[in-house]
Amino acid sequence: MSAVHADEGADFRGPLDVTRAATAVLDADGTVTGWSPAAESLLGYRAHEAAGRSVGSFVIERPGPYRPSTAVPGAAQARRQVFHMRHRDGRVVRVATASLPLDSTRGGGPGRLLVLADADETDRWEALQSMLRGLATQSPVGLAIYDTALRVVWTNRALFEEGGDGQYTGLGPDEQVEDGRVLDPGRPDTLAETMRAVLATGEAVTDLHYSGRPPSDPAHDHVWSCSYYRLQDPVGHPLGVCEESVDITERYLAQRRLDLLVRAGGMVGKTLDMDRTAQELAAVTVPQFADAVAVDLLDAVLAGDQPAPGTEPARTLVRVWDGPGPSGTRPARRRDPVDPDPDSLQARCLAEGRPVLQDAGPGDTVRSRLAVPLRTEGAALGVVTFCRDRHPDPFGAGDLPVADELVARAAVCIDNARRFTREHTAALTLQRSLLPRHLPQVTGAEVAHRYLPADSGAGVGGDWYDVIALSGTRVGLVVGDVVGHGVRAAATMGRLRTSVRALARLDLPPDELLTRLDELVTQDAHERTAVPDAGEDDALGVTCLYAVYDPVTGRCSMARAGHPPPAVVDPATGGVHHPEVPAGPPLGLGGLPFQSTEFPLPEGSVLALYTDGLVYGRGRDRDAEVAALHTVLADQRRPLEVLCDRIVATLLPGPVEDDAALLLVRTRVLDRDEVAVCELADDPEAVGRARAFATGQVDDWGLDGELGFTTELVVSELVTNAIRYASGPIQLRLIRDRTLICEVSDTGHTSPHLRRAGSEDEGGRGLFLVAQMTQQWGTRYTPQGKVIWAEQPLPPDGAPPDPSLIHI
């Protein structure tokens, strides 16, 4: 039975039905001639008490006509009214009445039948009937009743009109739409399966979402919210299933759009990486909103530059993403230049500064395209193009606000990434300017290094390393660790590195160098404290290790300020050990002295200097990491660059939490043929022997000529000064390295000073001549006294030095 006939064939009898209501028979004058038992129950008067009385004697007042809602079956002429009547016990009863005229062939016979019922009960019945009639004929909620074979046996008007001319009658639940499917995960795949479960278990199913294309709109998908409950007879036998369905297509699409925006807020922009942000945007929108996404950015934006305001079309675009998403099957093109045609969708979008929609043209496999500008603060960053080729519907006006909001969120994230790129580039530039670009080539050691900044957003930090060429072919080795990351830490690192290099040039022993550096840090901290709002000094708590290796003696002197000790690999056995070097306090804390340790390093030894970040971090076992470092270093015959790569790959395979610096050094010892030593007595005659020794050694090395003359002069002046101003034994040492080095050591602790002698002065010109004739000279102190040294450049291929280099 369809809803069209539901109100015509149903039994709508109520309290005023003559078969169940109270009745009174009235004559033509309104006198009671008949009184039913139900009337006696309603008003309390027995039949003999009511008979002969006028019906008006029972009425107290007449509140007004009773508005009829349904006709009494078989009595369409009935007039309904409501009266207040006096009950036999004195109370007032509100009574609904219907007066039915009776045909009488004899005069004085019955004239009317008065039907009476409790008015409150009648009102409730009328409201119930109105509700049922509304559900059957006016409700937008679709109602259907299925028998136990899941055939439609009744529908209300909403479903009847939607199907058209009784189309649903006799059809199963999944036969009423095209391509129907259940959308809720965890539910049965079809409505038929759901309804069979309801019939079997009696458990109702509510708010099940079902999608398909109804006959009334076969071009578009609709979504219904369906609920099912079992119908059964009084003894519990199933009779069928009742279905309630509501078309929630617009609400469903609106909720999906809202969910899309919520997911975009949580997934897009999780990193400060523009390429990654483009991928995240694609992952959110495909396939729910679009089938493919292309993201094009201005090349200036990728470089971190501030985009110019306005809506001029981009001259240079770079495609950072093009595909269905990271999990899709099509490959994504990365950083491909794009040159859009002036009439293209992207160029128009950028030029107009608003979304541009384009439907498919002839031969176009993409059904619909939507280009949305990436803009922030009035400036264009690029353009996002959404494409639909498999989506059931093309882009429409309802999609524009969603696309605009998605792209606006992505634009904020991309602009933040652009700003970070700019700051990051500046910080990296600063750090690269502070770290050594090229370590010096030294004879006494082979070096390799690695630096890994922490992946903490800033990308730069304060760890550093350095190799410093010192006098006498010695090599200064430095590693340090500044607390924190970022530009401040990098700036502090640069300040400390410069200080270390300056102090190292003074040829200070390691413990004294760290003492001087600690004093500088402490002094700076006091000065910053005295300045309001100066902030904390990142140099406080810095750790540092400084070592000096002498390739002539093969010994290394080392001191550390709270820094991890180095690892040393024995060249003969491959064994790895950590020399006992007193830790000392970190820089800036003070209170404890620094102490140097000296130990031999045979030729070929590998010295590993590193910062704490290499072996220590959250969730890492430091002992296990150090053991892994030993395992890699044990294969010490490999090239240092290979060892560096293996150490980094083993200890830091992923993102690092702290900056890490690594400096590997393989030692060399100078051949005996490269060093000549002459012991001299504290005697003026020693000057002549020194000159002769120097001249002979220069000849043996094949460095005669002008270099022999200058060497003889330098040696003469240095030995003369040692005899004149010092005491005890004197040693002359010549070293042939990248330069020719002359060293004169004595037991004195007074450093000579360069001065300009007057025209009448008898002395004071020796060091002046030495300074003019050599490349550089200086003094360093030893526990036994001091060493004055001077270096001369070697002529290329044994050629004599250019006389123009000598300035007297």
Side-chain angles (χ1 to χ4, degrees):
M1 181 184 301
S2 70
V4 173
H5 308 289
D7 57 343
E8 297 177 0
D11 183 5
F12 287 105
R13 294 177 298 171
L16 288 176
D17 180 66
V18 294
T19 62
R20 67 186 69 175
T23 59
V25 179
L26 308 179
D27 62 12
D29 298 327
T31 301
V32 177
T33 61
W35 192 259
S36 71
E40 179 180 343
S41 175
L42 178 64
L43 295 176
Y45 297 99
R46 296 181 180 180
H48 71 274
E49 294 175 325
R53 293 181 57 176
S54 171
V55 70
S57 64
F58 296 100
V59 178
I60 298 175
E61 63 176 310
R62 178 181 172 182
Y66 186 80
R67 188 169 49 190
S69 57
T70 60
V72 176
Q77 301 295 326
R79 293 184 298 111
R80 299 188 179 186
Q81 294 174 308
V82 175
F83 296 95
H84 286 175
M85 293 185 175
R86 178 74 65 182
H87 195 275
R88 187 174 184 276
D89 60 9
R91 58 189 173 89
V92 178
V93 179
R94 185 170 173 268
V95 179
T97 67
S99 179
L100 291 80
L102 299 175
D103 291 334
S104 179
T105 58
R106 295 178 299 172
R112 287 180 295 165
L113 176 65
L114 186 66
V115 182
L116 305 94
D118 184 281
D120 292 338
E121 182 182 352
T122 303
D123 289 345
R124 289 192 294 270
W125 180 84
E126 290 289 349
L128 176 62
Q129 292 304 305
S130 177
M131 179 194 70
L132 294 175
R133 189 176 295 104
L135 288 175
T137 62
Q138 299 175 2
S139 173
V141 177
L143 296 174
I145 295 178
Y146 298 82
D147 61 15
T148 53
L150 301 185
R151 295 187 298 266
V152 176
V153 298
W154 182 89
T155 66
N156 68 346
R157 186 179 299 273
L159 286 182
F160 182 84
E161 292 178 346
E162 187 175 273
D165 297 331
Q167 181 175 340
Y168 289 118
T169 303
L171 298 179
D174 295 306
E175 300 170 324
Q176 300 170 6
V177 296
E178 180 183 349
D179 299 329
R181 62 192 185 280
V182 175
L183 300 180
D184 296 342
R187 302 272 198 175
D189 294 335
T190 66
L191 292 182
E193 295 175 359
T194 300
M195 295 171 68
R196 290 190 186 97
V198 172
L199 277 173
T201 64
E203 296 182 0
V205 173
T206 60
D207 196 28
L208 181 148
H209 290 177
Y210 189 69
S211 175
R213 296 187 177 187
S216 59
D217 186 13
H220 299 92
D221 286 340
H222 285 241
V223 179
W224 294 271
S225 173
C226 303
S227 298
Y228 300 91
Y229 56 90
R230 187 171 71 181
L231 302 175
Q232 56 192 29
D233 62 15
V235 297
H237 293 156
L239 299 176
V241 177
C242 183
E243 174 191 63
E244 300 175 2
S245 61
V246 180
D247 192 323
I248 60 168
T249 303
E250 292 301 324
R251 186 179 72 190
Y252 181 80
L253 293 178
Q255 183 63 47
R256 290 192 67 186
R257 292 175 183 135
L258 179 60
D259 293 343
L260 179 65
L261 295 177
V262 171
R263 286 198 303 121
M267 293 181 60
V268 178
K270 294 187 294 185
T271 63
L272 291 172
D273 181 274
M274 285 178 268
D275 298 80
R276 183 60 183 169
T277 299
Q279 296 179 33
E280 292 165 351
L281 177 63
V284 168
T285 56
V286 175
Q288 179 175 333
F289 184 75
D291 295 316
V293 178
V295 181
D296 302 323
L297 299 179
L298 298 176
D299 59 346
V301 172
L302 289 171
D305 297 336
Q306 176 71 33
T311 57
E312 289 298 323
R315 295 186 178 276
T316 305
L317 285 173
V318 176
R319 181 150 294 178
V320 297
W321 183 258
D322 184 6
S327 60
T329 56
R330 285 188 292 174
R333 299 189 297 271
R334 301 290 300 276
R335 296 294 177 104
D336 292 340
V338 178
D339 186 14
D341 186 89
D343 296 329
S344 67
L345 186 68
Q346 291 81 6
R348 288 166 48 204
C349 173
L350 286 173
E352 298 173 13
R354 63 177 180 83
V356 177
L357 181 61
Q358 182 184 72
D359 291 330
D364 195 349
T365 59
V366 179
R367 297 185 59 189
S368 181
R369 290 184 176 89
L370 176 60
V372 184
L374 278 160
R375 302 184 63 82
T376 179
E377 298 179 357
L381 303 174
V383 61
V384 178
T385 306
F386 301 99
C387 301
R388 285 183 179 176
D389 51 8
R390 300 180 300 276
H391 201 278
D393 299 318
F395 289 111
D399 297 312
L400 294 180
V402 179
D404 205 38
E405 179 65 22
L406 285 170
V407 175
R409 296 189 181 194
V412 172
C413 299
I414 288 176
D415 190 54
N416 289 339
R418 179 196 62 80
R419 296 172 186 269
F420 168 76
T421 299
R422 181 182 61 189
E423 299 301 328
H424 188 217
T425 301
L428 287 177
T429 301
L430 170 63
Q431 188 183 42
R432 291 191 182 106
S433 67
L434 297 175
L435 283 173
R437 296 184 181 180
H438 304 287
L439 294 179
Q441 296 292 326
V442 292
T443 303
E446 175 192 355
V447 297
H449 55 87
R450 294 290 184 273
Y451 173 74
L452 286 83
D455 293 346
S456 60
V460 295
D463 289 15
W464 88 95
Y465 56 86
D466 208 349
V467 175
I468 307 170
L470 301 177
S471 64
T473 69
R474 295 172 307 125
V475 182
L477 306 171
V478 188
V479 287
D481 187 351
V482 176
V483 177
H485 314 290
V487 177
R488 285 186 57 183
T492 301
M493 175 270 292
R495 178 160 53 98
L496 294 178
R497 174 176 175 265
T498 302
S499 299
V500 170
R501 292 186 69 88
L503 293 173
R505 297 297 184 187
L506 299 178
D507 276 316
L508 299 176
D511 57 341
E512 187 173 347
L513 183 142
L514 292 181
T515 300
R516 298 276 188 92
L517 189 61
D518 181 66
E519 292 173 354
L520 290 175
V521 171
T522 304
Q523 181 179 356
D524 288 346
H526 290 163
E527 292 175 354
R528 292 178 65 88
T529 304
V531 178
D533 301 327
E536 296 182 359
D537 190 354
D538 290 337
L540 293 177
V542 171
T543 66
C544 182
L545 183 147
Y546 179 66
V548 176
Y549 172 68
D550 189 345
V552 176
T553 64
R555 299 188 66 83
C556 180
S557 178
M558 183 179 301
R560 59 191 181 108
H563 201 83
V568 178
V569 187
D570 187 279
T573 64
V576 183
H577 71 281
H578 295 269
E580 295 292 334
V581 183
L587 299 177
L589 300 185
L592 293 174
F594 300 99
Q595 185 176 349
S596 292
T597 297
E598 186 172 300
F599 50 89
L601 282 179
E603 183 169 14
S605 298
V606 174
L607 186 66
L609 311 176
Y610 52 88
T611 58
D612 208 41
L614 185 70
V615 296
Y616 182 74
R618 185 170 51 190
R620 301 168 64 192
D621 186 337
R622 187 166 188 166
D623 293 338
E625 297 291 284
V626 172
L629 174 63
H630 288 185
T631 301
V632 178
L633 288 175
D635 194 10
Q636 45 88 23
R637 296 187 182 278
R638 291 181 175 271
L640 293 185
E641 293 291 338
V642 174
L643 287 179
C644 277
D645 291 337
R646 290 187 59 188
I647 290 173
V648 171
T650 302
L651 300 182
L652 302 174
V656 296
E657 300 174 353
D658 191 12
D659 307 318
L662 171 66
L663 180 64
L664 294 185
V665 180
R666 179 175 281 126
T667 62
R668 283 193 59 234
V669 176
L670 293 184
D671 295 337
R672 293 183 178 181
D673 294 341
E674 308 299 323
V675 181
V677 179
C678 178
E679 302 291 343
L680 301 172
D682 185 8
D683 186 340
E685 295 182 358
V687 177
R689 289 195 297 274
R691 286 199 300 264
F693 173 80
T695 302
Q697 188 61 54
V698 170
D699 290 341
D700 292 342
W701 282 336
L703 302 175
D704 53 356
E706 195 68 30
L707 186 60
F709 169 75
T710 56
T711 302
E712 182 180 358
L713 180 59
V714 169
V715 168
S716 177
E717 294 296 335
L718 295 183
V719 172
T720 299
N721 281 340
I723 294 173
R724 179 176 300 177
Y725 300 108
S727 59
I730 300 172
Q731 184 187 77
L732 169 63
R733 187 169 70 173
L734 300 178
I735 304 173
R736 184 180 65 175
D737 187 38
R738 300 176 187 275
T739 60
L740 179 60
I741 304 171
C742 301
E743 295 183 343
V744 175
S745 58
D746 56 48
T747 58
H749 292 83
T750 303
S751 176
H753 297 283
L754 182 66
R755 63 185 180 90
R756 184 179 296 273
S759 57
E760 298 181 357
D761 292 341
E762 295 182 359
R765 297 179 178 84
L767 285 180
F768 180 78
L769 291 175
V770 170
Q772 294 297 311
M773 300 173 67
T774 60
Q775 181 174 280
Q776 57 182 342
W777 73 279
T779 304
R780 68 174 182 270
Y781 291 93
T782 66
Q784 295 78 26
K786 68 176 183 297
V787 176
I788 304 177
W789 55 269
E791 294 185 8
Q792 302 176 78
L794 294 177
D797 300 328
D802 188 347
S804 62
L805 296 177
I806 304 175
H807 305 283
I808 302 179

